[in-house]
Amino acid sequence: VYRSKELRRWKRNASPLYTSRAAIMVECPDLFPVVRPDTEEGRLDYASIAATGAVRHVLKLSVMNTTQDYYAVGRYDDTADTFTPQEDVERNIDDCRTWRRIDYGHVYASKSFFDAGKNRRVLWAWANESDSQADDIARGWSGVQTVPRKVWLDGDGKQLRQWPIEEIETLRRKQVISLLGAQVNAGGINEIVGAGAQADVEAVFEIPSLEEAESFDPIWLLDPQKLCADKGASAFGLLVMASSDLREYTSVFFRVFKYNQKYKVLMCTDLTRSTTRANVYKPSYGGFVDMDIEEHKRSISLRTLIDHSMVESFGGGGRTCITARVYPKHVEKSDSHMYLFNNGTGVVKVSRLEAWKLATATINAVPRGS
């Protein structure tokens, strides 16, 4: 149970959250209400809430020890001034480090606000640099914000979904591809010509048969990033910010496993081949996509936004998000490329694929002294 008075104190100073094992330093708390599951609007109907008492809240905490943002869905008691996370069989509600993540990549210190004009909750987050301090000095700046994301409660009532706000689509310029019913053969790689280093791509992948999916070991739940680093694994997805000779690329992909008579979907962004430069942090990021792929006709969606060093990906309709910072060397002299790939043993269908080149956003900055 977390008291909102403590949250207000955390807003002023990073403070320890004590568990049975150790103190966890948290900052940037965010406590906000969410509408009933699977409703994208952000405004609450307080008349119906008063009648049913069914409103849920989300508590987000940024944990300094891990530099990650975690959240839980639960109930806020206005009388007792307390927040209680709802039970989750896969998570220890008393340790926020086991909660779901806002983003399974390079994101920290997210904050949200309610946009009354469009009746939505919008989230921003910070993505700092992953190269050297000398590179920061040479650029003259360090760190960027993610694109604003609309946030709402998924239909299962347990997790948030996130999606780039609709205004991002106004940056779309030339559509470089629009396909229905394509496929990527086993071991295949198909170029999406003309996407470049500023692009918005949406794809829906369909697996014709799940019978050959790998068996899942429950121990893997503890370390999805390690699974993403398994180079011999069967996977399908995108290669972005790639050089023409494929010496550099960032892969965004899915793996599917058999688990307890069902299937478990893993989403990854692997940076280990993202650049040939030295002194750059190049991890594999990963998170599980909490959805029933069979109920979705063996299909899963992916949207990836590329803006030079920023790669933001939204899997399963925004159920799992991974943000990465990449610094390929080839961009100094040549264009970047994008590919579909499938290194599995069977065909993967691409039931929908659309990609656009993106324009540079205009920043409405207030001049100094104004």
Side-chain angles (χ1 to χ4, degrees):
V1 176
Y2 302 86
R3 296 185 180 277
S4 64
K5 289 180 180 177
E6 293 173 344
L7 298 181
R8 288 193 289 271
R9 176 164 56 86
W10 288 340
K11 288 181 181 180
R12 293 191 296 270
N13 300 287
S15 302
L17 169 65
Y18 289 95
T19 68
S20 58
R21 294 182 180 180
I24 305 170
M25 299 298 292
V26 302
E27 58 182 341
C28 304
D30 199 2
L31 177 67
F32 57 88
V34 285
V35 183
R36 65 185 181 278
D38 219 19
T39 303
E40 296 187 26
E41 287 75 19
R43 183 177 288 110
L44 297 174
D45 180 358
Y46 283 98
S48 63
I49 289 168
T52 64
V55 65
R56 302 180 194 185
H57 281 72
V58 170
L59 174 61
K60 188 280 303 182
L61 299 173
S62 299
V63 177
M64 298 175 69
N65 311 56
T66 63
T67 60
Q68 298 291 345
D69 284 9
Y70 304 86
Y71 76 90
V73 180
R75 304 286 184 183
Y76 172 67
D77 185 327
D78 186 56
T79 302
D81 194 24
T82 58
F83 172 83
T84 305
Q86 64 190 21
E87 295 294 332
D88 191 325
V89 294
E90 293 186 358
R91 291 166 176 83
N92 175 9
I93 63 172
D94 294 323
D95 186 344
C96 62
R97 293 168 299 180
T98 70
W99 295 358
R100 298 176 190 270
R101 297 251 297 268
I102 288 289
D103 192 295
Y104 289 84
H106 198 74
V107 152
Y108 189 64
S110 60
K111 294 291 286 185
S112 73
F113 66 91
F114 176 62
D115 177 4
K118 293 200 171 180
N119 190 19
R120 61 188 178 182
R121 180 154 291 275
V122 176
L123 178 139
W124 297 80
W126 174 50
N128 69 339
E129 305 302 325
S130 299
D131 52 0
S132 68
Q133 188 176 46
D135 291 313
D136 292 344
I137 294 171
R139 276 190 299 264
W141 54 272
S142 176
V144 295
Q145 295 291 110
T146 62
V147 298
R149 305 172 181 181
K150 185 167 82 168
V151 178
W152 70 98
L153 187 62
D154 184 49
D156 65 7
K158 300 185 299 182
Q159 62 183 328
L160 293 177
R161 291 173 66 176
Q162 303 172 58
W163 201 251
I165 59 172
E166 61 186 11
E167 288 84 350
I168 296 299
E169 297 176 16
T170 66
L171 298 176
R172 290 173 174 174
R173 293 298 182 261
K174 179 183 178 182
Q175 186 168 25
V176 298
I177 195 168
S178 179
L179 287 178
L180 296 175
Q183 68 179 37
V184 186
N185 294 326
I189 179 169
N190 301 341
E191 185 170 5
I192 303 172
V193 178
Q198 282 184 278
D200 183 355
V201 58
E202 295 191 50
V204 178
F205 298 97
E206 179 185 341
I207 306 170
S209 174
L210 293 169
E211 295 302 317
E212 296 182 6
E214 305 166 70
S215 295
F216 186 80
D217 187 335
I219 194 76
W220 293 342
L221 289 168
L222 301 175
D223 195 355
Q225 290 194 205
K226 184 177 180 181
L227 270 182
C228 291
D230 182 358
K231 297 298 183 288
S234 176
F236 57 90
L238 297 173
L239 303 180
V240 302
M241 294 300 290
S243 59
S244 58
D245 59 5
L246 288 179
R247 291 186 63 217
E248 295 181 321
Y249 58 80
T250 295
S251 52
V252 183
F253 60 91
F254 298 107
R255 295 178 64 187
V256 181
F257 301 88
K258 292 179 183 177
Y259 181 56
N260 287 346
Q261 309 302 316
K262 291 279 190 178
Y263 295 92
K264 201 158 192 70
V265 179
L266 174 71
M267 178 179 168
C268 306
T269 296
D270 185 3
L271 307 189
T272 55
R273 297 285 299 275
S274 62
T275 182
T276 55
R277 289 175 50 193
N279 302 317
V280 175
Y281 182 53
K282 299 183 290 184
S284 293
Y285 296 118
F288 294 102
V289 186
D290 194 349
M291 61 176 285
D292 188 330
I293 195 169
E294 290 183 290
E295 287 186 359
H296 288 79
K297 300 179 180 179
R298 304 185 309 280
S299 295
I300 186 165
S301 68
L302 174 66
R303 183 177 181 186
T304 297
L305 297 175
I306 302 105
D307 187 4
H308 299 284
S309 70
M310 280 285 286
V311 178
E312 298 182 57
S313 298
F314 304 82
R319 291 174 176 84
T320 299
C321 306
I322 301 179
T323 297
R325 302 299 306 276
V326 299
Y327 308 90
K329 191 173 182 179
H330 72 264
V331 297
E332 299 172 4
K333 297 181 179 180
S334 60
D335 294 333
S336 287
H337 300 259
M338 183 188 297
Y339 301 87
L340 291 167
F341 81 94
N342 169 23
N343 64 7
T345 58
V347 169
V348 171
K349 294 183 178 179
V350 185
S351 52
R352 183 172 70 88
L353 173 65
E354 294 184 279
W356 296 263
K357 293 184 74 69
L358 288 182
T360 300
T362 300
I363 306 300
N364 296 322
V366 178
R368 290 184 178 179
S370 298

